[in-house]
């Protein structure tokens, strides 16, 4: 009997070791929720390409703790589709880590579904304030919150444009136009509040339906108030529609600041061509002054830009660099410290991150809030060290122009030429 027991124990040990080895070699599977089709697809694909480069780079380096990274895609074309796709990846494919999502309405939906299943959600670029103000436990927003975009635009007016336009800020006529959904409203609220603290009185402040098909009334109202500077928050289709109508009605401003989303989209250049040159974008930095980056991440940045430009035949916009930066942090700062890869363990690791600015490719660092925001007991998972600034469309691509420490180029085309001279 004893030989039989020893043999059984030996076989059990072998089976256990085989199972553990097989599991150790299994890929780490991550659900990626982005708009791969539909009106937001170009931005979704922009993020996706950057995230694929990050996955390839980490897998070529041997993976995370010897395990390869594997993505499972969810096509999040709308908030409803985002919930449905997130549920599918979690309940049918057993995903315990999700990421994405490009646009705020999609990020809100994905994080809501993930939280319901206690799944760890690593948000790359969704920015609406509400994403991290619902008391969620498993949502981490690596990119900057919406109010920071508005602050970047206003700071740029104070720190740069006023001097170039040779006017005191208090004499500048500044108009604010915003699409009236989650992102536009959040940014608009932030700009309005921040402007008041700076003593700026907006000469125009109006929201509009993102699905509007005729921008004539809006452009006509703006012509009537003759602003020096227009700050506009739009998504791709409405940004294109607005620019075409502004050209048709010959509406000119001395400086135009778009805020992320539609104004950072490759769609804009594809649709209006070189008319895009000169437009400023308050957004994630697409490429920062390399001197602000830590030496090890500087090499990663060089490889990312080289691969991206070889693949896409153009420089990445801010969302692509932000998507890469966020997912690279997940691969190199969170997952390597995990043993179980369970959401509770990943959450604990994320909350302990304390990375200074310059730790990520786009100049960001990481330090998350954890239900410790003084005026908002539900605030959690907001990255306090996400970089944000202003870049400008150029004929060759884009250049970071503000703040000075991140800038790769000086602001140009101020005042902006009239349509007839562009």
């Amino acid at each position: 009997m004893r030989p039989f027991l020893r043999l059984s124990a030996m076989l059990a040990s072998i089976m256990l070791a085989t199972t553990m080895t097989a599991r150790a070699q299994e890929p780490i599977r991550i659900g990626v929720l982005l708009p791969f089709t539909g009106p937001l697809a170009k931005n979704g694909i922009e993020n996706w390409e950057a995230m694929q480069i990050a996955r390839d780079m980490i897998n070529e380096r041997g993976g995370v703790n010897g395990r390869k990274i594997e993505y499972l895609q969810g096509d999040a074309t709308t908030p409803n589709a985002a919930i449905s796709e997130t549920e599918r990846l979690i309940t049918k494919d057993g995903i315990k880590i999700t990421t994405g999502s490009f646009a705020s309405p999609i990020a809100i939906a994905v994080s809501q579904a993930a939280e319901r299943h206690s799944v760890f959600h690593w948000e790359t670029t969704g920015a609406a304030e509400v994403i991290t103000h619902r008391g969620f436990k498993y949502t981490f927003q690596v990119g900057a919150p919406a109010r920071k975009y508005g602050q970047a635009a206003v700071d740029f007016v104070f720190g740069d444009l006023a001097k170039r336009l040779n006017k005191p800020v208090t004499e500048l006529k500044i108009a604010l136009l915003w699409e009236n959904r989650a992102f536009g409203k959040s940014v608009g609220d932030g700009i309005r509040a921040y402007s008041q603290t700076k003593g700026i009185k907006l000469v125009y402040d109006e929201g509009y339906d993102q699905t509007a098909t005729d921008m004539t009334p809006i452009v006509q109202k703006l012509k009537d108030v003759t602003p020096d500077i227009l700050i506009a928050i739009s998504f791709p289709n409405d940004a294109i529609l607005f620019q075409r109508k502004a050209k048709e009605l010959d509406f000119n401003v001395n400086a135009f600041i778009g805020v992320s989303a539609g104004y950072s989209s490759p769609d804009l250049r594809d649709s209006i061509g070189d008319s895009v040159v000169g437009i400023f974008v308050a957004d994630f930095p697409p490429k920062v002054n390399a001197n602000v980056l830590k030496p090890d991440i500087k090499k990663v940045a060089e490889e990312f830009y080289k691969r991206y430009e070889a693949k896409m035949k153009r420089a990445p916009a801010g969302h692509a660099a932000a998507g890469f930066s966020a997912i690279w942090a997940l691969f190199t700062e969170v997952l390597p410290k995990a043993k179980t890869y369970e959401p509770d363990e990943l959450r604990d690791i994320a909350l302990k991150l304390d990375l200074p600015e310059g730790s990520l490719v786009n100049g960001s660092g990481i330090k998350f809030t954890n239900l410790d925001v003084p005026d908002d007991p539900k605030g959690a998972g907001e990255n306090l060290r996400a970089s944000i600034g202003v870049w400008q469309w150029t004929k060759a691509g884009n250049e970071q122009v503000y703040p000075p420490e991140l800038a790769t180029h000086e602001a140009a085309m101020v005042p902006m030429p009239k349509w007839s001279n562009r």
Side-chain angles (χ1 to χ4, degrees), residues 163-176:
K163 284 178 278 187
R164 293 182 192 279
L165 293 173
N166 200 27
K167 277 189 178 182
V169 173
T170 51
E171 291 182 17
L172 286 172
K173 296 170 72 176
I174 302 173
L176 173 62

Side-chain angles (χ1 to χ4, degrees), residues 3 25-26 30 74 77 102 123 168 179 197 200 213 232 252 264 292 305 324 329 361 393 410 419 421:
Q25 293 174 341
E26 288 177 357
I30 298 172
T77 53
F102 165 59
E123 180 58 43
E179 59 87 15
T197 68
I200 294 175
T213 55
N252 296 286
S264 66
V292 304
Y305 290 111
F324 178 90
V361 161
W393 284 101
E410 271 204 30
W419 283 106
N421 295 326

Side-chain angles (χ1 to χ4, degrees), residues 303-318:
E303 187 173 348
F304 163 61
Y305 290 111
K306 185 177 177 182
R307 289 191 185 213
Y308 190 94
E309 288 170 18
K311 191 172 187 180
M312 303 295 283
K313 310 302 179 193
R314 56 178 166 77

Side-chain angles (χ1 to χ4, degrees), residues 58-84:
I58 209 73
N59 282 345
E60 289 166 16
R61 287 163 165 77
V64 175
N65 297 335
R67 297 173 66 178
K68 301 290 187 185
I69 297 293
E70 179 181 305
Y71 288 151
L72 278 72
Q73 292 173 261
D75 191 6
T77 53
T78 65
N80 285 340
I83 290 175
S84 173

